Structure formats: C-alpha cells, structure tokens
Amino acid sequence: MAPRKIIIDTDPGQDDAVAILLALASPEEIEVLGITAVAGNVPLELTAKNARIVCELADHTHIPVYAGCDRPLNRELVTAEHVHGKTGLDGPVLPDPQMPLADGHAVDFIIETLHAHDSGTVTLCPLGPLTNIATAFQKAPDIVDRVQEIVLMGGAYFEVGNITPAAEFNIYVDPEAAEVVFNSGAHIVVMPLDVTHDALVTQKRNEAFRALNSKVGHAVAEMTDFFERFDKEKYGSEGAPLHDPCVTAYLIRPDLFSGRHINVQIETQSELTMGMTVADWWRVTKHPPNAMFMGEVDAEGFFALLTERLARL
C-alpha cells in the first residue's frame, strides 16, 4: 500500500517531538506532507521553533513547517511550561534551527493541501489544541468531507483530567475548537489519557532509547528523563506517559490499539468541567457515535515499534 499522507498539527512538547520522529522514521507507512504549529504547551513562537528543531534532529529539513494560530478561538492561552520546561523541549541541548519557517499560515496550508489532494487521501494528526484544525474547518467548510481521518491525542474518560479534575490539557486549552472538530462529521480517532497513561517510559524502555547510541536516541532519552519527573511525582507511576506518539503508532500499527465507536461531546459552558470530553463509553444516550475512542494499547508492542523506528534515524 502507498504511504498514508498526513499533516501533523503540533505544539512541541517532548512527546510531540517523539511522535514527529516516529512519523519521519516510517516512510513506508507515512508521508508527512507538512507540519503545522499551534500554541499550546508553550507559545507559538516556541512551538514553531521546536517543530523545526525536531526536523533537523531527524535530518528531514525538507519537511515544511508552518506557524499557525497563536491563541485559542475565544480564550486566553493556557500553557504547560510546568511540565515541558520553559522551551517546551527541555532536557537535551539542541541547536537552534537553521531551516526557515515555510511562507504562509498553517491554516491556509491545511486548506490548500486538502484541496490539492484527492478527497479522502489526507489524514490530519493533531497533537495539541485543535485551534488550527477548527479554524480551517470554519474558513473552508468544504474541506471537512475531503479529510480521510482525524487521528488526535486529547481527552480522557476513566482517567479524568490532567490539567483540571475533569479535563485533559489539549481539549481544555481550546474547548470551543474541540467542539467544532468533534461536531464536524469527520471520521475521528481519539487517543485519550486512558490509552496514553498505559504507554509509560519506564527506566528499561528509556535505556533502550539511549542504547541506540545515536543523536536521536540520546535526545529522546534526555527528553523523557526531563519529562518524566513531573508525571512520576504526580501519579506515582514508573515513568512518564508518551501521549502523542500513540497517534503516529496507530497509523503504523492500528492493531496495537482497541476502543469503541461512541459519542463524544465537549463541555464548553461549565467552568467546573470546562474542556471535559463527555464520552458515552457505555452507550447510555441516544446520541450518534462520532469518534473511535481508544481505551487500550499494547504497551510492549508500542515501545518495540518506537525503539525499532527511532533506530533508523
């Protein structure tokens, strides 16, 4: 089969970086048409910079990186330096990027790319807040039907929230954008905290990255060394969850994941539960399904895939 054409929409973030690296290391399954940066884990200036740093780390400087929306649709930006550090990629010492940003706005690139390719052949892979995707859908509603699939990291159900008691960070930052996307009618696959919290970078798994003895292997190990301190203290877990690479891994090995096709709605009214993904896991309402909401991952298979692919870079 031909590689799957994707646009990665991202707010790097150490786990975003690993997701991008996994995609770039998998040309048999994935063709990265471009990377669009959005404000999220850190402000847009840094996410656009970090996306280019990751491309250069992988020696894939031909991938165009576009800067997108610098704030949510209707809200002030909330960031996560307390998790990712002041740069968003704290941990390894990586040089500033030499490759320039691509000309134009990320939203326009998304629209133009979906128009330029055959309908149903481009997958959108949001790893951060959904501001760019929602803005593109609002600006050019005809592109929704041209999207092959949206595979995103965001939300939670049984694992509840990681930025508030009810909400996962990506959805919380721009719940109105998430509402636009989940109500769009596009085919959506969701990697929530319920899955990503099972994809833990244990010491053994991180040593496997370091043992690759490459600049990518060392950088990823140093990213997760930094990243895990927050989650280990917060959850008492063996290591940090690698949230965003679950999106890329699904494109390569969907058999590693299982879930249910259910209705998912986004809370945008209550300050108490703002950004909550109300997932009808038990199908107790009559609301029609609008998303494949994943619930489990084969963690050993996931890390075996990730380590094998990172070794290529």
Side-chain angles (χ1 to χ4, degrees):
M1 292 180 63
R4 189 165 183 174
K5 298 175 182 178
I6 73 168
I7 297 172
I8 299 175
D9 188 68
T10 182
D11 61 337
Q14 291 90 348
D15 56 325
D16 304 69
V18 180
I20 294 167
L21 291 169
L22 178 56
L24 298 180
S26 305
E28 301 93 339
E29 295 91 358
I30 296 171
E31 179 185 352
V32 180
L33 301 177
I35 297 174
T36 51
V38 67
N41 285 322
V42 287
L44 178 66
E45 181 180 0
L46 288 174
T47 62
K49 176 182 178 180
N50 291 346
R52 289 176 287 149
I53 288 174
V54 175
C55 288
E56 291 190 357
L57 176 64
D59 291 326
H60 279 60
T61 55
H62 61 285
I63 304 292
V65 176
Y66 293 83
C69 298
D70 65 357
R71 68 196 67 193
L73 295 183
N74 301 321
R75 298 175 179 274
E76 294 298 316
L77 177 64
V78 175
T79 55
E81 288 89 348
H82 63 290
V83 179
H84 299 279
K86 67 182 189 321
T87 70
L89 284 183
D90 281 20
V93 178
L94 297 170
D96 286 345
Q98 298 303 303
M99 61 184 285
L101 280 170
D103 291 335
H105 195 281
V107 168
D108 294 326
F109 169 73
I110 292 168
I111 294 168
E112 290 163 7
T113 302
L114 285 164
H115 281 153
H117 289 80
D118 290 343
S119 183
T121 63
V122 175
T123 294
L124 303 179
C125 298
L127 309 179
L130 290 164
T131 316
N132 284 342
I133 308 301
T135 303
F137 284 3
Q138 291 178 327
K139 187 173 181 179
D142 66 296
I143 66 172
V144 175
D145 290 339
R146 302 186 66 83
V147 175
Q148 180 179 1
E149 195 168 48
I150 299 173
V151 184
L152 67 90
M153 189 278 133
Y157 183 61
F158 293 104
E159 285 289 314
V160 293
N162 64 354
I163 188 68
T164 74
E168 179 275 330
F169 177 82
N170 286 343
I171 306 299
Y172 178 78
V173 169
D174 199 343
E176 284 80 13
E179 184 177 50
V180 168
V181 172
F182 276 85
N183 289 344
S184 68
H187 184 233
I188 299 173
V189 176
V190 184
M191 296 292 164
L193 298 183
D194 306 272
V195 165
T196 67
H197 280 185
D198 285 336
L200 296 177
V201 186
T202 61
Q203 183 176 353
K204 180 180 178 181
R205 290 166 177 166
N206 209 30
E207 287 306 318
F209 297 149
R210 191 171 277 109
L212 296 174
N213 202 27
S214 64
K215 64 178 182 178
V216 168
H218 285 298
V220 169
E222 290 169 3
M223 286 181 200
T224 51
D225 279 341
F226 179 88
F227 186 58
E228 72 174 3
R229 94 230 175 272
F230 177 81
D231 288 285
K232 287 174 75 172
E233 180 179 346
K234 180 177 180 179
Y235 296 111
S237 57
E238 292 183 85
L242 272 184
H243 306 287
D244 295 328
C246 289
V247 168
T248 317
Y250 174 80
L251 300 177
I252 303 166
R253 288 279 309 278
D255 58 297
L256 294 173
F257 301 87
S258 62
R260 294 183 182 183
H261 192 219
I262 59 171
N263 182 265
V264 180
Q265 297 188 45
I266 310 299
E267 177 57 65
T268 61
Q269 301 300 315
S270 166
E271 288 302 323
L272 180 64
T273 55
M274 183 64 65
M276 182 179 183
T277 45
V278 183
D280 187 9
W281 184 259
W282 302 114
R283 301 187 178 106
V284 295
T285 73
K286 295 182 179 178
H287 299 303
N290 63 346
M292 185 67 182
F293 200 83
M294 293 301 179
E296 294 182 339
V297 59
D298 173 358
E300 290 299 325
F302 169 79
F303 278 97
L305 172 68
L306 182 55
T307 305
E308 181 262 318
R309 295 302 171 93
L310 291 180
R312 299 176 171 188
L313 296 175

